[in-house]
Amino acid sequence: MGSAKLDGQVQSDWRWLIAAYLFLAGVGGGAYLAGVVADLAGGAEWMLVSKIGVFLSVPCVLIGTFFLLADLGTPTHAWRVWMKPGTSWIARGTIIIVIFMILAAVHTAFWIWPFAGPLEVNESARHFLGILGALFAFLTVIYTGLLLGYSQPIALWRTALLPVLFFVSAISTGLMGIMIIAQSMGIAVAQLDLMENIDAVILVFEVFVLAVYVYNAYRTLESRPSAQRILSGPVASYFWLGVVVCGLAIPLILELMGRHGAILTIGALLGLFGGLCLRFTILVGGIYTPMRAAGFEFARIHRPKDPIPAMGKLPPS
Amino acid sequence: MALTNASKVKEDVWIPTCCGQCYCMCGIKVRRQDGVVTEVEGNPDAPTGRGKICVKGLASPHLLYDPYRVNYPLKRTNPEKGIGVDPKFVRISWEEAMDLIVAKMKACQEKDSRGLYFQATTTQASEIRYGVTGFMRAFGTPNYWVSGGGLHCGNGAHFMNGIMHVAWSIIPDFAHCRLPLNFGCSKGHGAGHVAVQNATQAADARAWGSRTITFDPMQSAQASKAHEWVPIRVGTDGAMALGLVNVLLNDLGVWDAEYLKYKTNGPYLVRPSDGRYMRDKETKKPLVWDLVDKRPKVHNDPSVTRVQYEDQAHDVALLGEYEVDGVQCRPGFELLKEHVKKYTPEYVEGITFVPASTIRRIGKQIAENAEIGATVTIETDEGPKKIPKRPIAAHFFRGSQGHVNSGWTCLSIDMINHMVGAADTWGGAMGLGAAVGAGYKPTGKPYQIPYPDNDGLLMCRAWVYDHVPYPLRKPKPPTRLDLHDMFPTSIYNAFTIMNPKWFEMLDVFKIPYRPDIMINFGSNSVMTMGNAEIVTENFLKKFKFIFSFQLYITEFEEAVADIVLPDTCFLERYTPAVSFPSTFSHPTGEDDWGWTIRQPVIEPMYERRDFNVVMMDISKRLGILHKYYKALNDVTVVRYGGAMSDEYKLCEDGSEEHTWEEVVDRMLKDRFGPEHGLEHVRKKGVFTWPKRKEDVYWKWFNPSRVPIYFEYFIDAGEQITEICRQFDPEKKYIGLDWSVFKPLADWYPCPTHTEKNPEFDLHAFYWRAVTQTNSMTQQNPYLDEMSQEDTIVFGIQMHSRTAAGKGIKEGDLVWVENPEGKKIKGWVTLSEGIEPSHLAFAAILGHWGEYMPIAKGKGAFFNDLVMMDEPHTDPLTLNQDICCRVKIYKA
Amino acid sequence: MARYGMVIDLNRCYGCYACAMACKVANRTPPGVFWARVLRGEMGVFPNSVRQALPVLCNQCEEPDCMKVCPTGATYKTDDGIVRVDKDKCIGCAYCVIACPYGARYKVDDWKSYFPEGLPLSPYEEHTKQYWEQKSGLGVSTKCDFCIDRRAEGKEPACVQACSAKARVFGDLDDPESEISYLIKTKRGFVLRPEVGTEPKVYYLPPR
Ligand code: SF4
Ligand code: SF4
Ligand code: SF4
């Protein structure tokens, strides 16, 4: 059917900056969730881990929003972003994120720094705040998937699997963030081992979700060009090297080997990098579905960035 | 609308003028805001375009302001010439440039003025037929050519259309034609003359249900809009057409007897001994057989003449054998009918790749749709008149005629129309542009009514260039550098001047002078003719001094120009007549006549100067200004429909000088009366007057006939053979086969069709993208960008299956090589819309010039495969063959 | 109040790009921006293959996705149904660009010349740059507005005016007597991607 050029126009408005935003929102949300779970389920010995998770969330999400701001065409107007929460996932999302950041900031401030203590004392208040914060952390993480899913023309994104994938990746990258810091703070080996094992399980699950996601994308006619672009096209190196090798395979192997120290750090860093690559791959893997009408398939021709004409020579003047 | 500096204050005006991005020259309106040209739109007042223009015209602000335009006179300081040589241009003053040029020209004048050679481009057609021709006459040189377009499209198509329709081209009467048959062209679909207006007409036709069949090796714009696309092997349209004529005449027995009897030379009696007409002893007029009086009569004897459809006349014979002066002779029509018998559908299938059953079916469709015998009544100046209604039309252009069989192919295709009487009548094939007109009533100008010669055949009154298509000049010992005088059917040719032995040839043919100076006007012949190296080495480098009026430093200037003069573009100049002679760029159909002018919308920027003004200045410095004026007066007669009256004639005695504006003004006043001078016409950019219906459907209002039996070709062939023999008895220099000069059409193969080496398994040809004209527009960044929007413009089109067989994939870089070893590089774009044994290239891409960076490196340079030698030349019209056999392999 | 729409007759259209160029020149759009665009399609296998052009532009949807996803309210609908962007409100998040099912929106961050970087701008490009910055703006989403400025001068949209095939007709969908209402009714008018539910106001007539 037609020529390869008819594979449609590539999404090019959202690239690294948005990928970083989605990624950091994921890490922040994931770390917070992990932290709260550790607090709720782990008790006192997991306090450090829990604190690291909560502590990580605000800076990650905040830096993430800076990336979002940087991507805006007119950042000075950014305050308008909340004008239409009724219909826009950007409006909804930023509200969610702000609420989450406020909650997480309160959580941090009154538990860890600079007003450490009050929440340490009042455990039930902390748990309550944690659960409330976790809800918004969850929404933050899920929202990054829903945001993309709202795009009608990019079939790769229009699937319920995307929020799931982003959620799983958020938890695992959140955990990795926690592990790096926890290890450097000298946490117990057993705890590290446990976290590694949990993360490995999550990674296996992520592999599964990712496989289903990509397989689905390939199977669906509308998104097949996207899948091809990711699997064997120009984005393939980000996918195979970034996501699969760095983000999943190496961390998984290292975690299963159960080594600590520098190796753990490297594995987790690669895992984080993989999380960023995942967002990027999915963003730039997006291809606008060709238009079908009257039996024809029309694509907005993808024009690889034309070589910018060289200066050549100007006629003497 | 004075272009003064005072108008610099907050202005916002629309100035009507005429586009110059291609030779169609539509009427436009150009917006100027605070001195800056910002928008272009069609001019609804101008019949050429009627408010519509194409993508190229719309993009012209970038042409005007391109930073790569040449703005000052330049001088080459590197004496070495050639492709890839850095010319080392330096800026000089106009005075210095003129001094240099005039000194060279004076020397040339003293030695032999014929050493001057004019080279121009089709895009500047309106300038060529006036200023350029005028200057050549004044200076005294016959040597010129119009590069690119001229040789690829001109010689065959325009010549044959001139003979058959007194027109530059032909086109269906879209308003009424039910079955247009398109042979390798895009008329009505973005290319060809009057492209925009034709597109409107063709779209209207689709809307009312006209059904089109298109023969083309690729799914061109036209083929994709057709109801049937018939993929055909490149260069075989002539065979296809003869096959259809055979189906009509011999399988179906269908022809329009009335038309053939009274509007063609079909009934002229031909003697078998030498194929000549039987002529009346006294008047020398050809004879027809009067079936009522049972005796021969001269062709225009009142008893056998039907000028108007409702006239009465005796029946005359189209078939049979008759005795005249003791000689058994037969009507030309019968000879034709017998002659085409060999083009059986099966035979034609073998040539064209079109199934015999398709040929038979289309033949039947033509017969059914022609409605032979049907009439309509139109309103003429003399009241209502009946004329034949023939709603079918076969037409063609560059694609089908750019081959060895150029002339006969054009004729064969047109023969379909003439067999069923569908020529220049309601619904049929019409001359394009509108070729016939009695002029603006109060002045009777421009008068363009054709008339018959002694043989009764159609002669044009107005024509675009100096050579008229009929009657043929008598071949003469040559004086021109391309030996043109010997070849009466061509405008110019390439095979002589591109020959590596050109100068030897000139010796043999006793040409006493050699090329000396070339004036180039807007052409980039290094790219637009054929293989760049051949053009440069064999031809251009033979000139001692070349100066060029140009917008950019093109590949031509880089390679060979000594001086480059900064020309104005069409938005900065006056042109007195663009839509006339109307057969070049005036729409056909019932809409009004319109005489479009070009006026500047902005004063020339920098040191740009209008070509016309500079040529006038050069004439003055050479002391031939009055001769130049006289020549302009002279060319007006044939070009613009009648001589200049004494009142408005340009001064011929040297007592007066005119500005170029005045020249325009005088022309207008002379044509349309003193109140309709430049001041009047510039307000709308066009002068219009009503078109008579009898000028649109003129066939049955004019006493002329057209040939279907080309008796006079026999003489021409013999004369050419004889003259060549005189100079070159062993055919060492010219070996063309003059036997193609015969009275009846045939199909002869191109080297493409006879290539024996199986390695060269593909046919290559080129087509024209709507977003580009010739080679210049590629530098326009708007058009460059728009061309990239099309999937096929910059790529080499190849059928997916053929590519798969060779392991070639979409986007692969490939070499395409012809049997002569010339090769070009490009990337492949796959498609189902092309006959699988073909490769298609958009013309003319693949610039390499340093001074046109937007154009540089885009697309493949197809012309490099075009050889311009004898085997690729049509002996009949000296048209260039532009297809070739190639092999393709990955780069 | 009128409800403006357009009809594009695919039988008339021969894919000449004049509409796209006219839009470009009328709206001074920078490189890569095509408020009006001509897409190319091919169908079938040789020798029964057909090519067809599909001119596209903003559909001025009744239920525009672009407006739905816009977080700021910069995208709004005028009384006569035209979807516009208020450049002073737009934050340039490009969500609408990604969400429009028809690819009708373009966000331009930096104005670029059509000529190589580093050359002084030509007077024409000075003009187009200024025009673009003033009317459409940088760092914000831009789109076709059915040539609002031209219509204020009493002219047709540029793409309609330019089409030599007269394939494009502009008019009022609410007026049952209008040419476009008539064409849509009598010539099997259809819209692109009806399934996404944005209710486009640009209709197409079938290619044959
Ligand atoms: S201008 Fe008209 S014919 Fe040309 S592409 Fe646009 S809609 Fe089609
Ligand atoms: S076509 Fe796109 S930009 Fe236009 S109104 Fe519809 S959704 Fe919005
Ligand atoms: S209506 Fe105007 S802005 Fe919209 S596509 Fe047509 S020309 Fe462009």
Side-chain angles (χ1 to χ4, degrees):
Chain A
M1 164 62 90
S3 61
K5 257 188 324 302
L6 293 181
D7 63 357
Q9 179 166 307
V10 172
Q11 187 288 115
S12 60
D13 286 275
W14 283 359
R15 295 175 61 84
W16 279 113
L17 292 176
I18 295 291
Y21 162 62
L22 300 179
F23 165 68
L24 287 169
V27 176
Y32 186 88
L33 277 170
V36 170
V37 170
D39 185 15
L40 292 178
E45 68 188 78
W46 286 90
M47 200 60 84
L48 181 60
V49 170
S50 175
K51 278 187 175 172
I52 293 170
V54 172
F55 189 82
L56 265 178
S57 61
V58 178
C60 280
V61 179
L62 193 64
I63 295 170
T65 36
F66 283 128
F67 278 106
L68 172 67
L69 277 179
D71 192 60
L72 292 185
T74 53
T76 47
H77 293 178
W79 55 273
R80 292 189 167 276
V81 81
W82 296 314
M83 303 297 284
K84 274 181 58 212
T87 55
S88 173
W89 269 108
I90 285 203
R92 292 176 194 161
T94 39
I95 289 172
I96 290 170
I97 283 191
V98 167
I99 295 177
F100 171 58
M101 278 199 289
I102 292 171
L103 292 173
V106 170
H107 202 157
T108 311
F110 291 95
W111 191 29
I112 306 165
W113 186 84
F115 314 113
L119 286 178
E120 192 80 62
V121 181
N122 190 340
E123 188 177 328
S124 52
R126 190 177 80 230
H127 283 178
F128 175 74
L129 185 61
I131 290 169
L132 195 63
L135 178 69
F136 279 89
F138 175 74
L139 287 176
T140 298
V141 168
I142 290 291
Y143 135 77
T144 57
L146 295 177
L147 174 74
L148 299 189
Y150 209 83
S151 164
Q152 293 268 20
I154 301 177
L156 180 70
W157 302 350
R158 276 189 80 74
T159 153
L161 274 176
L162 191 62
V164 178
L165 179 63
F166 279 3
F167 178 76
V168 180
S169 162
I171 300 293
S172 97
T173 48
L175 257 180
M176 289 176 185
I178 293 175
M179 284 192 293
I180 295 174
I181 297 177
Q183 175 174 261
S184 70
M185 293 180 74
I187 192 181
V189 171
Q191 282 181 312
L192 261 189
D193 277 342
L194 182 58
M195 279 200 286
E196 278 194 303
N197 289 345
I198 293 175
D199 197 51
V201 173
I202 296 174
L203 279 181
V204 171
F205 186 58
E206 188 178 342
V207 169
F208 171 71
V209 176
L210 183 65
V212 174
Y213 175 79
V214 173
Y215 173 71
N216 253 343
Y218 188 83
R219 225 191 35 188
T220 315
L221 202 62
E222 272 74 35
S223 51
R224 181 168 302 166
S226 281
Q228 282 166 340
R229 187 172 155 79
I230 290 172
L231 291 174
S232 55
V235 189
S237 51
Y238 293 104
F239 179 72
W240 291 114
L241 286 177
V243 180
V244 176
V245 176
C246 295
L248 298 170
I250 299 182
L252 188 59
I253 293 168
L254 295 184
E255 280 171 4
L256 291 178
M257 282 162 43
R259 295 273 183 74
H260 296 168
I263 292 196
L264 181 140
T265 309
I266 289 171
L269 281 176
L270 284 176
L272 284 166
F273 173 68
L276 176 63
C277 285
L278 176 71
R279 308 308 190 282
F280 182 72
T281 306
I282 284 172
L283 282 180
V284 302
I287 288 180
Y288 293 95
T289 314
M291 197 73 73
R292 291 207 175 74
F296 292 88
E297 185 178 284
F298 301 92
R300 293 195 282 168
I301 300 154
H302 174 55
R303 296 205 269 123
K305 284 258 170 287
D306 309 328
I308 296 162
M311 187 66 115
K313 288 187 189 162
L314 285 163
S317 64
Chain B
M1 212 151 303
L3 294 163
T4 60
N5 280 339
S7 63
K8 274 258 170 192
V9 279
K10 265 296 161 214
E11 58 149 17
D12 189 351
V13 290
W14 288 88
I15 300 153
T17 178
C18 163
C19 185
Q21 286 280 60
C22 81
Y23 51 63
C24 295
M25 300 182 277
C26 305
I28 55 173
K29 291 199 304 189
V30 181
R31 188 177 201 178
R32 194 180 64 213
Q33 293 173 287
D34 290 334
V36 179
V37 169
T38 58
E39 274 183 74
V40 182
E41 224 173 76
N43 179 3
D45 292 322
T48 314
R50 273 289 176 220
K52 308 294 184 187
I53 56 168
C54 82
V55 56
K56 303 178 286 292
L58 290 162
S60 43
H62 269 320
L63 170 71
L64 179 61
Y65 293 112
D66 189 328
Y68 291 88
R69 281 274 301 265
V70 181
N71 296 325
Y72 306 95
L74 306 174
K75 189 172 87 177
R76 187 185 200 91
T77 57
N78 185 356
E80 197 196 329
K81 292 189 175 182
I83 293 170
V85 173
D86 180 356
K88 303 215 169 79
F89 283 125
V90 294
R91 176 177 165 182
I92 56 173
S93 69
W94 265 102
E95 254 336 285
E96 188 184 345
M98 291 301 262
D99 287 347
L100 275 166
I101 287 168
V102 170
K104 295 273 187 202
M105 290 188 71
K106 276 207 170 118
C108 170
Q109 224 172 2
E110 274 152 30
K111 204 168 146 215
D112 192 326
S113 60
R114 294 173 299 179
L116 178 77
Y117 200 104
F118 229 118
Q119 170 179 279
T121 164
T122 48
T123 315
Q124 310 282 10
S126 47
E127 265 73 20
I128 299 169
R129 55 201 184 215
Y130 193 56
V132 170
T133 332
F135 181 83
M136 283 170 48
R137 287 190 186 193
F139 190 83
T141 181
N143 289 305
Y144 85 118
W145 78 341
V146 177
S147 87
L151 290 154
H152 296 170
C153 67
N155 280 348
H158 305 320
F159 173 62
M160 291 304 178
N161 292 324
I163 296 170
M164 305 304 287
H165 299 263
V166 287
W168 201 240
S169 200
I170 52 173
I171 190 90
D173 176 18
F174 280 118
H176 314 110
C177 182
R178 199 178 314 126
L179 182 70
L181 303 157
N182 314 318
F183 288 84
C185 60
S186 265
K187 282 191 206 152
H189 301 79
H193 298 261
V194 204
V196 170
Q197 195 63 23
N198 286 344
T200 310
Q201 295 182 1
D204 284 345
R206 283 197 294 282
W208 66 252
S210 159
R211 299 187 71 80
T212 309
I213 300 176
T214 295
F215 301 89
D216 203 309
M218 72 174 254
Q219 263 245 343
S220 60
Q222 193 180 50
S224 68
K225 298 314 294 178
H227 293 83
E228 184 179 355
W229 168 41
V230 183
I232 188 172
R233 183 188 196 185
V234 70
T236 64
D237 311 65
M240 179 73 208
L242 289 171
L244 291 172
V245 171
N246 179 32
V247 171
L248 283 174
L249 300 187
N250 294 311
D251 288 6
L252 305 170
V254 165
W255 59 84
D256 183 347
E258 274 176 323
Y259 176 84
L260 289 162
K261 283 172 186 169
Y262 305 109
K263 292 295 170 189
T264 74
N265 71 353
Y268 288 12
L269 296 169
V270 174
R271 59 178 181 240
S273 55
D274 61 357
R276 301 304 206 280
Y277 297 143
M278 294 301 294
R279 290 178 184 272
D280 179 54
K281 292 257 157 43
E282 232 164 85
T283 59
K284 297 278 177 277
K285 287 180 183 173
L287 298 171
V288 301
W289 189 263
D290 183 333
L291 287 168
V292 178
D293 294 346
K294 301 210 169 19
R295 63 181 178 85
K297 299 251 177 89
V298 295
H299 67 81
N300 60 352
D301 185 287
S303 64
V304 293
T305 303
R306 244 171 100 180
V307 175
Q308 296 197 1
Y309 189 72
E310 285 163 278
D311 293 349
Q312 297 295 324
H314 287 180
D315 199 3
V316 296
L318 283 178
L319 301 171
E321 205 172 20
Y322 305 91
E323 195 185 308
V324 179
D325 302 334
V327 180
Q328 291 296 115
C329 44
R330 296 159 75 192
F333 173 73
E334 192 176 54
L335 300 178
L336 170 69
K337 183 169 177 290
E338 255 166 41
H339 173 80
V340 295
K341 271 193 182 139
K342 65 175 185 255
Y343 291 93
T344 62
E346 283 69 24
Y347 173 62
V348 173
E349 170 173 346
I351 299 171
T352 60
F353 304 168
V354 178
S357 57
T358 306
I359 301 171
R360 287 205 174 84
R361 173 179 46 80
I362 294 175
K364 238 169 106 197
Q365 268 170 283
I366 296 171
E368 279 160 10
N369 282 285
E371 291 190 45
I372 294 170
T375 59
V376 290
T377 303
I378 58 166
E379 207 48 56
T380 72
D381 278 5
E382 297 165 24
K385 296 270 183 198
K386 245 207 248 174
I387 57 166
K389 166 192 178 194
R390 297 288 181 277
I392 83 113
H395 67 126
F396 58 88
F397 199 23
R398 197 159 177 153
S400 42
Q401 74 98 55
H403 302 286
V404 164
N405 197 46
S406 179
W408 283 128
T409 289
C410 299
L411 238 147
S412 307
I413 296 169
D414 196 25
M415 228 22 96
I416 298 172
N417 303 318
H418 293 280
M419 290 307 108
V420 297
D424 299 299
T425 191
W426 206 91
M430 319 294 277
L432 169 83
V436 171
Y440 173 57
K441 267 227 178 93
T443 59
K445 289 179 193 170
Y447 187 72
Q448 315 189 111
I449 301 282
Y451 56 105
D453 74 337
N454 196 47
D455 282 1
L457 299 186
L458 184 64
M459 297 210 296
C460 55
R461 181 101 48 184
W463 194 243
V464 183
Y465 292 143
D466 275 352
H467 75 293
V468 285
Y470 179 82
L472 290 186
R473 288 175 288 112
K474 208 169 166 316
K476 282 199 302 250
T479 62
R480 227 165 87 165
L481 289 169
D482 59 0
L483 314 180
H484 167 261
D485 325 56
M486 305 198 304
F487 313 121
T489 55
S490 70
I491 311 176
Y492 18 57
N493 67 75
F495 81 100
T496 49
I497 54 182
M498 296 299 164
N499 193 317
K501 292 189 285 185
W502 182 26
F503 277 19
E504 268 176 51
M505 219 160 162
L506 294 181
D507 283 338
V508 169
F509 285 90
K510 307 228 161 29
I511 306 285
Y513 65 98
R514 291 292 171 269
D516 181 9
I517 298 179
M518 172 181 274
I519 307 181
N520 177 49
F521 176 36
S523 158
N524 179 7
S525 58
V526 168
M527 287 190 71
T528 54
M529 282 310 308
N531 182 275
E533 209 184 297
I534 297 180
V535 175
T536 310
E537 296 298 322
N538 296 4
F539 176 54
L540 296 173
K541 276 170 92 168
K542 301 280 165 59
F543 289 86
K544 301 199 186 84
F545 180 71
I546 296 182
F547 70 99
S548 177
F549 294 85
Q550 197 57 286
L551 302 178
Y552 300 105
I553 299 177
T554 71
E555 286 74 5
F556 172 86
E557 281 73 25
E558 266 195 72
V560 293
D562 296 284
I563 303 275
V564 186
L565 299 175
D567 195 13
T568 55
C569 75
F570 70 92
L571 293 168
E572 307 163 277
R573 72 156 55 121
Y574 283 103
T575 308
V578 273
S579 47
F580 276 81
S582 60
T583 186
F584 193 85
S585 49
H586 198 293
T588 342
E590 296 182 6
D591 196 0
D592 288 348
W593 290 108
W595 181 293
T596 332
I597 60 155
R598 185 175 285 145
Q599 60 176 326
V601 295
I602 185 170
E603 281 186 65
M605 293 188 291
Y606 309 98
E607 288 187 13
R608 300 174 189 170
R609 280 193 205 169
D610 174 13
F611 162 80
N612 295 299
V613 175
V614 177
M615 287 318 290
M616 215 150 66
D617 189 6
I618 292 178
S619 306
K620 191 175 159 196
R621 292 176 194 236
L622 290 172
I624 56 168
L625 188 58
H626 59 291
K627 280 198 197 166
Y628 180 52
Y629 288 153
K630 178 172 184 320
L632 292 184
N633 289 335
D634 291 347
V635 296
T636 304
V637 183
V638 176
R639 300 291 194 282
Y640 304 120
M644 297 284 281
S645 62
D646 289 341
E647 199 181 346
Y648 297 115
K649 246 187 184 161
L650 304 179
C651 173
E652 296 186 354
D653 60 12
S655 62
E656 218 187 318
E657 270 181 43
H658 312 287
T659 62
W660 190 249
E661 246 176 284
E662 230 176 289
V663 172
V664 179
D665 187 48
R666 281 171 176 253
M667 167 89 84
L668 291 170
K669 286 185 171 145
D670 181 78
R671 304 288 110 166
F672 308 115
E675 67 284 18
H676 298 136
L678 183 56
E679 274 325 296
H680 175 86
V681 176
R682 76 183 338 155
K683 282 184 220 129
K684 287 189 164 175
V686 59
F687 184 81
T688 57
W689 67 98
K691 205 190 269 175
R692 307 183 309 168
K693 299 279 181 294
E694 56 268 49
D695 289 346
V696 183
Y697 313 107
W698 56 267
K699 178 60 76 180
W700 287 87
F701 296 94
N702 194 289
S704 312
R705 297 170 182 262
V706 294
I708 59 167
Y709 180 86
F710 289 78
E711 189 236 19
Y712 61 94
F713 279 5
I714 308 175
D715 287 340
E718 285 173 0
Q719 289 159 359
I720 298 170
T721 313
E722 172 54 24
I723 226 162
C724 287
R725 199 195 49 76
Q726 268 173 34
F727 292 98
D728 177 21
E730 280 150 50
K731 294 195 171 188
K732 263 169 62 189
Y733 295 90
I734 298 186
L736 287 171
D737 177 9
W738 305 119
S739 73
V740 304
F741 277 86
K742 344 165 289 180
L744 292 166
D746 259 317
W747 181 77
Y748 299 93
C750 301
T752 307
H753 306 117
T754 51
E755 177 62 46
K756 292 272 168 358
N757 187 342
E759 246 182 84
F760 296 90
D761 56 346
L762 296 172
H763 308 79
F765 67 96
Y766 80 63
W767 59 283
R768 197 178 133 201
V770 62
T771 45
Q772 301 286 356
T773 304
N774 294 351
S775 72
M776 177 191 72
T777 48
Q778 286 85 327
Q779 169 62 16
N780 184 316
Y782 274 165
L783 293 172
D784 176 57
E785 186 185 37
M786 210 54 87
S787 300
Q788 297 184 40
E789 286 284 288
D790 198 338
T791 39
I792 55 177
V793 173
F794 286 118
I796 301 170
Q797 261 181 95
M798 186 175 192
H799 191 270
S800 331
R801 196 158 15 97
T802 314
K806 295 178 182 295
I808 289 172
K809 286 195 303 296
E810 175 77 29
D812 277 355
L813 261 189
V814 292
W815 284 108
V816 176
E817 186 176 328
N818 73 4
E820 288 84 0
K822 308 280 184 215
K823 56 182 188 171
I824 58 173
K825 202 178 190 173
W827 52 270
V828 163
T829 172
L830 301 182
S831 169
E832 288 291 326
I834 181 165
E835 209 284 335
S837 65
H838 289 75
L839 297 179
F841 298 74
I844 297 165
L845 308 172
H847 282 264
W848 61 84
E850 294 290 340
Y851 296 86
M852 296 173 80
I854 308 284
K856 188 179 170 184
K858 308 252 171 78
F861 178 41
F862 176 80
N863 272 355
D864 239 3
L865 302 178
V866 172
M867 298 311 294
M868 302 171 292
D869 52 6
E870 246 183 40
H872 294 89
T873 300
D874 172 19
L876 187 62
T877 62
L878 305 188
N879 202 89
Q880 198 55 75
D881 180 16
I882 45 166
C883 64
C884 50
R885 263 304 174 83
V886 291
K887 62 177 170 189
I888 185 170
Y889 48 93
K890 282 205 214 173
Chain C
M1 199 74 240
R3 210 164 53 91
Y4 288 119
M6 196 182 285
V7 163
I8 301 179
D9 183 344
L10 297 181
N11 180 32
R12 281 179 170 269
C13 170
Y14 63 107
C16 73
Y17 296 98
C19 46
M21 187 62 81
C23 177
K24 190 154 255 316
V25 176
N27 295 298
R28 285 42 162 193
T29 55
V33 177
F34 294 90
W35 290 355
R37 198 164 185 186
V38 180
L39 310 182
R40 293 272 158 188
E42 198 176 290
M43 169 170 76
V45 174
F46 178 86
N48 300 312
S49 44
V50 197
R51 284 178 176 151
Q52 176 65 42
L54 182 76
V56 291
L57 71 165
C58 167
N59 286 288
Q60 317 294 354
C61 307
E62 273 300 292
E63 299 291 337
D65 272 0
C66 59
M67 188 162 111
K68 246 181 254 167
V69 305
C70 173
T72 63
T75 292
Y76 66 104
K77 233 165 51 185
T78 62
D79 292 342
D80 43 20
I82 289 162
V83 179
R84 299 198 66 194
V85 183
D86 182 338
K87 75 172 195 315
D88 297 324
K89 287 190 183 159
C90 176
I91 56 169
C93 66
Y95 199 15
C96 55
V97 178
I98 277 159
C100 165
Y102 306 97
R105 292 184 160 237
Y106 294 81
K107 178 184 151 202
V108 176
D109 286 322
D110 312 297
W111 188 93
K112 281 211 180 62
S113 164
Y114 266 98
F115 289 97
E117 234 169 292
L119 289 174
L121 292 187
S122 72
Y124 173 62
E125 286 211 301
E126 290 281 6
H127 165 89
T128 54
K129 177 167 192 259
Q130 215 183 15
Y131 188 102
W132 180 261
E133 285 174 359
Q134 274 168 16
K135 188 188 167 198
S136 302
L138 294 179
V140 295
S141 184
T142 72
K143 66 182 283 298
C144 155
D145 54 13
F146 270 179
C147 281
I148 219 151
D149 295 341
R150 285 176 57 96
R151 285 187 293 112
E153 292 170 23
K155 291 174 146 182
E156 287 188 303
C159 54
V160 175
Q161 205 279 337
C163 177
S164 59
K166 298 190 193 143
R168 305 172 84 110
V169 184
F170 176 76
D172 182 0
L173 290 164
D174 272 351
D175 174 3
E177 307 286 298
S178 68
E179 189 185 352
I180 75 167
S181 302
Y182 172 80
L183 287 172
I184 294 165
K185 250 187 300 188
T186 57
K187 299 223 167 145
R188 297 178 284 143
F190 64 93
V191 297
L192 297 179
R193 293 212 165 132
E195 71 279 4
V196 300
T198 54
E199 297 178 30
K201 291 205 288 283
V202 173
Y203 286 78
Y204 292 83
L205 306 183
R208 51 194 69 216

